[in-house]
Amino acid sequence: IVKPKVLCYDDACHLKKFLLNRPNSALCRALLHGMEIVCDRFHFPNHTSAWCKANVDPAKCTVPGFEKANTQAGEEAFAWLAGSKTVFRHMNEARFPFLMLRLAHLRNVQLCKKSM
């Protein structure tokens, strides 16, 4: 299993503090070891504390290729998916996963065609 080198999250400062405050947790140590945790570029300007600027600034990420990463991809996917919430509201347990998987597949096909 290949572990990601960067975890990019809009509230990375609180996540990193949470992980740092649990040194006895094997999961927290594993997440902190060998992985940079940074805030996404869209939300980082709202993080004004000195701790955030020193510890989760995406501009300080040293992982090669990160400067080209779309750190807002999660926000974009959520915004796209939120447009379908009225359809999901009336679905039962059997139909919801099927539709979600189908929509995700169709969206990935659309994005792949757009990038060609």
Side-chain angles (χ1 to χ4, degrees), residues 23-86:
N24 296 329
S25 166
L27 176 61
C28 293
R29 283 194 313 270
L31 287 172
L32 288 168
H33 179 70
M35 183 187 315
E36 290 193 45
I37 299 175
V38 298
C39 187
D40 71 66
R41 292 183 189 100
F42 178 76
H43 289 98
F44 188 71
N46 298 327
H47 294 252
T48 57
S49 75
W51 193 92
C52 289
K53 291 179 191 231
N55 293 285
V56 294
D57 184 352
K60 293 181 181 177
C61 184
T62 60
V63 175
F66 181 75
E67 65 280 353
K68 295 182 244 173
N70 178 4
T71 63
Q72 293 91 333
E75 299 287 335
E76 292 166 2
F78 179 74
W80 170 80
L81 187 60
S84 304
K85 66 183 171 188
T86 56

Side-chain angles (χ1 to χ4, degrees), residues 4-21:
K5 293 179 175 45
V6 181
L7 190 153
C8 189
Y9 179 54
D10 59 353
D11 197 18
C13 53
H14 289 111
L15 174 62
K16 193 165 187 176
K17 286 177 184 179
F18 177 87
L19 296 172
L20 289 169
N21 285 331

Side-chain angles (χ1 to χ4, degrees), residues 61-109:
C61 184
T62 60
V63 175
F66 181 75
E67 65 280 353
K68 295 182 244 173
N70 178 4
T71 63
Q72 293 91 333
E75 299 287 335
E76 292 166 2
F78 179 74
W80 170 80
L81 187 60
S84 304
K85 66 183 171 188
T86 56
V87 174
F88 299 140
R89 188 175 299 140
H90 304 289
M91 294 198 151
N92 63 26
E93 290 179 42
R95 292 181 181 197
F96 176 76
F98 173 77
L99 183 64
M100 283 295 295
L101 288 170
R102 185 70 179 141
L103 283 175
H105 171 71
L106 292 172
R107 178 68 173 167
N108 286 336
V109 168

